[in-house]
Amino acid sequence: MTDDGTTTAAATGTLGYEQARDELIEVVRRLEAGGTTLEESLALWERGEELAKVCRHWLEGARARLDAALAGPDGAAEAGGGTD
């Protein structure tokens, strides 16, 4: 992490869900608290967008795994929830 609270996009890709969520919470807290310059606020906003994307990616992956597990070996749930 750099002094302005941002990291590289490459480092973002290696974050787990909990890490990204916790950092996103901190970014939101800092933005809501105010007292930052416009440049710092923009950097925090951009970082928050990156973190939200990481969280969304993890949640979509978890949903896909859950759907696959619920579908069972024949994949019935993926094809519309079952047979007619």
Side-chain angles (χ1 to χ4, degrees):
M1 195 180 283
T2 61
D3 290 341
D4 65 357
T6 62
T7 60
T8 65
T12 301
T14 63
L15 288 176
Y17 172 77
E18 290 80 7
Q19 293 170 308
R21 181 202 58 212
D22 291 347
E23 188 177 340
L24 180 56
I25 290 168
E26 179 61 20
V27 166
V28 170
R29 186 197 63 74
R30 288 180 62 191
L31 284 169
E32 288 178 340
T36 57
T37 66
L38 177 59
E39 190 63 33
E40 291 169 333
S41 294
L42 287 172
L44 285 168
W45 180 271
E46 290 169 347
R47 180 61 180 159
E49 289 290 330
E50 291 174 6
L51 292 165
K53 191 179 296 185
V54 170
C55 290
R56 196 167 30 254
H57 171 78
W58 277 105
L59 291 172
E60 288 169 356
R63 169 54 77 188
R65 289 177 62 188
L66 180 60
D67 288 345
L70 291 173
D74 63 354
E78 290 180 18
T83 59
D84 291 327

